Amino acid sequence: MDDRKSWRSKWIWAKPESAAVTASNELVYFRRSVRLEESEAYAFRIDVSADSHYRLYVNGEPVCTGPCRGDLKTHYYETVEAGKYLRPGDNVIAVKVLHYAYGSPRPEGVFFSPLGALILEGEVRSSEGELLESIVTDDQWEVMRDDAITFLSEDITCVGGPESVDGRLLPHGWEYSDYKATNQHKWEKTFIVKETESPYDGFMTPWQLTPRSIPLLFERLRPFKREMRREGDFLIEKGFPEKGSLCVEPRTEMAIELDAGELTTGNIRFVIEGGKGATIRFLGSESYETPEGKKGIRDDTEGKALRGYTETYQVAGLGGVEEIYETVLFRTFRFLRIEVMTGEEALTIRSVSYRETGYPLDVKASFECSDETLQPLWQISITTLQRCMHDNYFDCPYYEQLQYSMDTRLQILFTYAISGDDRLARKAIYDFHSSLMPNGMIQSRYPSVIQQVIPGFALYWIMIVHDHLLYYGDIAFASRFRPTIDAVLDWFERETGTDGLIGPSPKRYWSYVDWVKEWESRRGVPDTEGPLTVYNLMYVDALRKAADINRLSGRLDTANEYVARAARTEKAVRDTCWSEVKGLFRDGPNLELFSQHAQIWAILTGAAEPTIARQLANALMNDKSLAQVSYSMGYFLFRAQSAAGTYDEAYALWDMWKEQVDLHLTTWLEDPISQRSDCHAWGSVPLYDFTSEVLGLKPVATGYGRLRIEPKPGPLKWARGQAMAKDRLVRIDWKIEEGNFNLEVEGIGGIQAEIALPDGTVIDSDGVSDKLNFTCRVQ
């Protein structure tokens, strides 16, 4: 994460009007003109960053947004190539920067300093490489504060604040080279906030610049797909909302509701004409709801309304010139309600669209099978994962937009399976490492301005580091995080009592396990003040994974110590938490409460020997007296069935996902209890299970140095698809015909592989052939 770039630019801002530290959010516009002579082509490399959020334009074309989310120790900058936007003659580089302030509406996941600031450095070169223009941020830029946009307070989300905008005060066209300022808009010279650091005195600015470590977010304009319902009189041209326009006569009120076709993330955008004095109000929502908050079938409008924040745009009315308004930040929505109140002039809405955005997830995997009811689960899972990938993994894009380590571990594994891309995963690992506190604990969500600790989530982070080592074999990368792993495990060790169990976490922390109906009053925590079986078994698992990391990186003594700790804690769980009467693991010692969660982790850690593991696996499927897992733990329920050798029974679990399909959801729910969020990627389990269990591809040695293909047919007659093994795409095609299981594998040439067939036969591939066929008898 070190940056050795030497910056010539200065941090600039608008001259402070009063106090240096603002009490509310500030939106500031920057412009810099450049005149270029004739050239066949230009190269224009730009390095740019700001505090807290920016959008960069060249000649009116949106180039990128940023900066990538970091923290007070790591401030990212973006590098972009913008030569295609330049032309001979006058050009303008324009940047819109939003600076957040304490106490004002803002995303909880974005850090900010007390000062707003922009830094930009660019070089324009000819097609032959000749330097034509060098551009830096200094006191020669034009700057203007915005007084048109107000960010409204939030009470149900924490993602940045809805907008109330007076379009009459906006500097329309400011990002174009032919813009002419009016008397209404006062542009001034910029104010230098900070010089860049001196290499000799060691003093640092609030912004420790580091190159962006992940790709730029994609952006593409998308139309809404259909009209849901309307109120009032107005004219619609054929094809609206995908094409055509909407016309509202003077002194008219109307409303229309649109469907994007699926839950999505994007900046909402209006192109309008005329309508001076009109007001447009709009509201983006995940779902239709009853007055009591019941959602049901998501696109059923009967007796329901859309819930969310209402935003407002006052139309300027620019005569015959189109007026464009786009929200500063992206919104999460499936449905959009638009209300229009016109004044003395008719209003034409030329288009209602959105600038869809997110991480550029390149899906390379595919899946098909004989059960057509499973097929929708694949695409919904991809959509859900995509919506929760931006410049961090997000728990949910609508309510929080925060990166939690439990959610993130699952999202990372899903990403590995379908794309092989580990760049966002590497950033997430670094992010949580950066959240380390003096007592050895890391934060449960990060980056986050408001600190939160869920001790079990620190263990998930250790698992994430181990997963990356297993899938990618980057020992040097994993080794970098050994000190933080040691600190976390030391924190848990200090919590160990005389009975060998780690005790309850301090009351200032939240010992969350899962959203479970029986634990609802305790917000996802089993009903005990003592040690938790699940946390102790997760500690065992994390210790063993940490031992692997240390052994592979040469710290054998530490590895042996962690193995010994794991054995001690596992024995303590068996001695104090096993119920001979019930044949199950309790949720804690001397506690007659039982959950699926305790049995799952007993299977996964080996605390339950094979015979007992199969017994527990049976209870997981049939004992409804156990507290049941929600979607967040669904992944581990499948893993327990696989580890116990009873995966065929797990096919019945897909009913939890099929029920959501029947509700016309396009992304997976957060949990079955509150059903707060309609998009939570910990539910995208099909991406892992369809590739890793049904098709059967898994790593055996670190970095996929050896892989295993072990299809689990269950009730299926055939399945085929492709899955990622690090950087290679493996095709797997199997079918059952007349009692024969036929398997075809392609894409494993040059790698050691073992093929496990349903009859128990295990075959080592020759490590040479790229395409292999196998057959066995099945009952």
Side-chain angles (χ1 to χ4, degrees), residues 229-280:
R229 61 185 176 189
R230 65 172 72 179
E231 303 165 17
D233 294 325
F234 52 94
L235 297 175
I236 290 182
E237 291 185 5
K238 186 177 181 180
F240 188 85
E242 291 194 67
K243 297 182 293 185
S245 59
L246 181 155
C247 303
V248 188
E249 294 298 315
R251 299 178 297 282
T252 301
E253 295 186 12
M254 56 76 65
I256 189 169
E257 292 171 357
L258 306 176
D259 179 10
E262 62 185 18
L263 190 145
T264 189
T265 54
N267 301 64
I268 295 173
R269 188 173 189 266
F270 294 91
V271 179
I272 55 186
E273 188 174 321
K276 184 175 182 179
T279 299
I280 298 175

Side-chain angles (χ1 to χ4, degrees), residues 531-594:
L532 300 177
T533 302
V534 169
Y535 267 29
N536 275 273
L537 292 174
M538 287 173 58
Y539 179 49
V540 169
D541 189 63
L543 282 166
R544 288 176 177 153
K545 287 180 166 57
D548 278 350
I549 294 168
N550 280 278
R551 177 178 53 80
L552 290 169
S553 60
R555 291 205 311 182
L556 299 183
D557 288 345
T558 304
N560 291 336
E561 177 188 343
Y562 287 162
V563 169
R565 281 196 212 173
R568 178 210 63 202
T569 305
E570 181 185 286
K571 181 178 184 302
V573 170
R574 287 198 302 268
D575 291 346
T576 62
C577 301
W578 173 253
S579 170
E580 287 288 352
V581 175
K582 296 278 289 186
L584 297 167
F585 282 89
R586 304 181 183 90
D587 286 341
N590 306 313
L591 186 70
E592 294 305 310
L593 293 175
F594 301 86

Side-chain angles (χ1 to χ4, degrees), residues 43 51 58 91 110 182 194 300 344 458 471 497 594 665 675 774:
D51 188 333
V58 174
N91 296 265
V110 175
T182 65
K194 287 281 185 183
D300 176 16
E344 298 302 314
Y471 279 78
F594 301 86
L665 280 150
Q675 295 197 22
F774 306 92

